[in-house]
Amino acid sequence: MASILLLHGPNLNLLGQREPAIYGTTTLEDHQNRVIRAAADRGHTVEAVQSNHEGDLVEAIHSARGRHAAIIINAGALTHYSWSIHDALGAYNGRVVEVHISNPHARESFRQVSVVASKAVCTIAGLGAKGYDLAVRAAVVVAPSR
Ligand code: CA2
């Protein structure tokens, strides 16, 4: 059995309330419950954290060391420029899976760079809510138990 940290960054608490054409109508809570269910089906547990503050996300990543076998992260817009999240993930000793609801590569040029991707085993983007199911599978495929 492994524990997974599910991290969401800025503005993702607004999911389902605005911009449905880009992000759909699924709320953050729905996404989190989907991950909890998909993990439970495989015998794993999930701690879900969302913050609009970069430092909170960095601290959550620090605290994952030795506690969580994997991190599934949708860092929101911080994906594109947060070197502190990049460095924190670099110091983490478990598996990192990057997820995006939309496909940032098909959007504005500033979204086409991810400073998270080089610290992740894979990036799942553009599949909406279904991406979170795949992220759980990617997180636990070879994740050691803790
Ligand atoms: O597609 C994704 O999952 C993103 O990580 C979402 C981020 C965006 O900055 C990334 O480029 C791609 C944005 C989250 C903002 O979410 C909102 C949701 C509803 C209303 C307004 C913003």
Side-chain angles (χ1 to χ4, degrees):
M1 183 192 188
S3 172
I4 299 169
L5 176 62
L6 174 63
L7 274 186
H8 281 98
N11 297 312
L12 287 160
N13 54 312
L14 299 178
L15 284 171
Q17 299 170 36
R18 313 231 177 91
E19 305 215 49
I22 300 174
Y23 300 116
T25 53
T26 306
T27 64
L28 175 64
E29 192 182 359
D30 293 336
H31 289 301
Q32 289 171 334
N33 286 333
R34 190 178 184 114
V35 168
I36 290 167
R37 263 198 316 275
D41 286 348
R42 293 169 175 82
H44 306 300
T45 58
V46 175
E47 180 185 351
V49 172
Q50 186 275 332
S51 179
N52 295 319
H53 304 282
E54 187 173 6
D56 289 349
L57 297 168
V58 168
E59 285 182 3
I61 295 166
H62 291 174
S63 72
R65 263 186 85 84
R67 291 182 55 226
H68 298 290
I71 297 175
I72 297 174
I73 182 165
N74 182 344
L78 291 170
T79 300
H80 313 301
Y81 63 89
S82 174
W83 293 106
S84 57
I85 288 178
H86 167 96
D87 286 348
L89 290 173
Y92 171 64
N93 55 352
R95 196 167 171 84
V96 177
V97 176
E98 179 184 22
V99 188
H100 297 286
I101 295 161
S102 67
N103 178 4
H105 295 286
R107 301 180 61 193
E108 303 95 318
S109 58
F110 78 87
R111 295 188 203 274
Q112 293 171 20
V113 171
S114 168
V115 299
V116 170
S118 64
K119 300 299 178 192
V121 287
C122 65
T123 298
I124 298 163
L127 297 179
K130 290 198 176 80
Y132 285 95
D133 289 333
L134 296 177
V136 170
R137 294 169 70 172
V140 299
V141 68
V142 295
S145 294
R146 286 186 199 280

